[in-house]
Amino acid sequence: MSAETFRIGFVPLVDAALPILAHELGFAAAEGVRIELMRDVTWATVRDRLLYGHTDAAHLVAPLAISTALGRDRPAVALTVPFVLGLNGNAITFSTALGEACGLGDSLGDPIALGAALKQVAAQRRAAGRPLRFGVVHRYSSHNYMLRYWLAGVGIRPDDDVAITVTSPTFAADALAAGEVDGICVGEPWNAIAVDRGVGRIALATAQIWRRGVEKVLALRSDTAAERPEALAALLRALHAAAEYFVRPDTVQNSAALLARPEYCDAPVEAILRAITDRIRVTPGSAPIAYPDFMFQYREAANFPWRSQAAWLYAQMVRWDGLRFSAADAATAQSVFRPDLYRAALAGSGAPLPNASSKLEGALDAPIGAGSTQGRLLLGQDRFFDGRAFDPDDIAGYLAQLP
């Protein structure tokens, strides 16, 4: 096998777009890289293929890269994340019955008001011995942490007041239809498909919980990254070029048609197109509503792997696994994200390259200029719904303040 070939595992989601487009549209070939794509339906399988050498890289939920490096549910294996494939792009979808019980209309809910309504329903269901069940795509997923962060923030205790279980993204709408879960937190196009099938109502976009929240990443075994630095840099440049293409208004139809193909998302073009163009159909048959930056790639150095993003994910891991904060583990978690590799790959490209590798998360109400070693960098609003900010240099203090 050529040293320039990367076998990349992925789950059929819209945010697998960058490696798919890099392969299909020649961005990889232009950098001297060949991509082979391997489709799976669970994150556990994608992760295992990577660990056992069946793939060279993976489209992966960010927390799973960190939990793997920390040995949370298996022996630790060092992973490297040199590139973020996207921010946000997920949603929380209620069953139609739960949506009606919570008073959902034809627009996205307000996190606070909807939380209050859900808290009442959750209490009633728990008292009746039938607690609400929510499905997330993996225990170590941003979906799990976003859902838990919101529930806890509105006074609903995850695992006590509601149950949280794991369901594959591709089967999330089926789980809703079968009544196995009352809600799902999943990526597109699977929320849209649940709505179009008439089995769900989109309640919140995860961008309403943490705007600019880290989502999928490119992950590699650290030994692979160390052994193939030039090929990896070429791959990152190809992904960056694909991201620039993906966000252009004149390319969305082509991107949606490619992603809809059976070997990729195997989903309706229209459902994928809505996600790419930041339009959300909240209820069956309703007109899609615009939600700017529902999915977020490319702008504002969106693909840059901030170590503070990894630190926030580690903080949630401590919180929900019932662990003690460990400075050593926090350092390991942050070391998974490799901004140095991103900078090295894109030096000279014109892409904005942040000076810093970490930042205060959730502190921006409005766009602001940020220091960069290359290009002009503007960072946009990144608030958490509850107004808290996260300081990666004081994880213990942050955890102590949480409900």
Side-chain angles (χ1 to χ4, degrees):
M1 180 178 291
S2 167
E4 288 75 33
T5 296
F6 281 92
R7 298 163 299 175
I8 302 178
F10 75 99
V11 167
L13 292 157
V14 176
D15 59 21
L18 303 191
I20 293 170
L21 297 181
H23 167 63
E24 290 285 350
L25 301 178
F27 298 116
E31 292 289 345
V33 173
R34 182 169 176 264
I35 292 176
E36 295 177 0
L37 292 157
M38 300 186 68
R39 183 182 191 265
D40 278 304
V41 296
T42 72
W43 292 114
T45 306
V46 171
R47 192 267 308 268
D48 287 351
R49 281 194 196 275
L50 179 64
L51 297 188
Y52 299 130
H54 294 245
T55 55
D56 306 298
H59 157 245
L60 201 65
V61 279
L64 188 52
I66 294 168
S67 69
T68 301
L70 291 172
R72 281 290 172 260
D73 59 355
R74 51 153 293 116
V77 176
L79 294 187
T80 287
V81 168
F83 194 93
V84 172
L85 294 172
L87 307 176
N88 293 132
N90 299 329
I92 298 171
T93 296
F94 288 178
S95 68
T96 52
L98 180 58
E100 290 170 3
C102 292
L104 277 178
D106 289 337
S107 60
L108 290 170
D110 170 77
I112 302 296
L114 179 60
L118 181 64
K119 185 176 181 179
Q120 289 188 334
V121 176
Q124 293 165 0
R125 286 283 299 270
R126 188 182 185 209
R130 297 181 298 109
L132 292 173
R133 289 171 58 86
F134 285 88
V136 297
V137 301
H138 195 278
R139 175 184 178 185
Y140 294 116
S141 67
S142 47
H143 314 67
N144 186 32
Y145 293 150
M146 289 283 201
L147 176 64
R148 287 171 178 271
Y149 190 89
W150 171 56
L151 292 174
V154 297
I156 300 170
R157 298 169 301 171
D159 305 317
D160 291 330
D161 298 328
V162 300
I164 297 178
T165 188
V166 171
T167 183
S168 164
T170 51
F171 301 129
D174 295 316
L176 269 182
E180 294 174 2
V181 293
D182 302 285
I184 53 175
C185 185
V186 68
E188 286 298 84
W190 304 107
N191 298 285
I193 286 172
V195 172
D196 291 347
R197 285 178 56 183
V199 300
R201 297 184 174 200
I202 295 178
L204 294 174
T206 54
Q208 295 174 270
I209 299 169
W210 179 19
R211 200 163 181 85
R212 307 289 193 267
V214 63
E215 185 41 48
K216 307 301 189 308
V217 298
L218 181 79
L220 306 88
R221 287 180 60 121
S222 294
D223 52 8
T224 300
E227 290 163 4
R228 304 175 62 186
E230 293 182 6
L232 177 56
L235 176 61
L236 301 192
R237 289 191 294 271
L239 294 174
H240 193 262
E244 188 277 332
Y245 177 93
F246 185 58
V247 302
R248 281 166 38 194
D250 62 325
T251 66
V252 294
Q253 293 283 350
N254 189 46
S255 294
L258 281 171
L259 294 173
R261 283 165 35 179
E263 64 267 39
Y264 298 133
C265 288
D266 192 19
V269 172
E270 174 57 27
I272 293 172
L273 187 61
R274 291 202 301 267
I276 295 175
T277 56
D278 294 333
R279 294 177 302 125
I280 304 171
R281 175 172 289 147
V282 175
T283 55
S286 65
I289 62 171
Y291 186 82
D293 299 342
F294 168 70
M295 289 188 65
F296 203 76
Q297 280 88 4
Y298 187 68
R299 290 190 296 110
E300 301 174 20
N303 308 115
F304 186 78
W306 293 96
R307 294 192 177 214
S308 45
Q309 294 171 337
W312 186 83
L313 295 174
Y314 168 71
Q316 301 309 307
M317 203 171 294
V318 170
R319 183 185 190 188
W320 299 114
D321 279 359
L323 305 171
R324 289 185 179 274
F325 168 74
S326 161
D329 283 353
T332 297
Q334 293 179 72
S335 72
V336 171
F337 279 35
R338 293 292 300 277
D340 57 318
L341 297 181
Y342 182 97
R343 290 191 190 98
L346 294 172
S349 69
L353 299 179
N355 275 337
S357 296
S358 193
K359 59 186 171 69
L360 191 65
E361 299 287 350
L364 297 181
D365 280 321
I368 188 172
S372 60
T373 59
Q374 172 181 287
R376 181 172 180 268
L377 178 60
L378 188 73
L379 297 178
Q381 198 263 8
D382 71 342
R383 284 292 193 182
F384 291 91
F385 86 97
D386 57 4
R388 296 179 189 275
F390 172 73
D391 181 353
D393 293 327
D394 186 21
I395 298 175
Y398 170 79
L399 288 168
Q401 297 172 6
L402 294 175

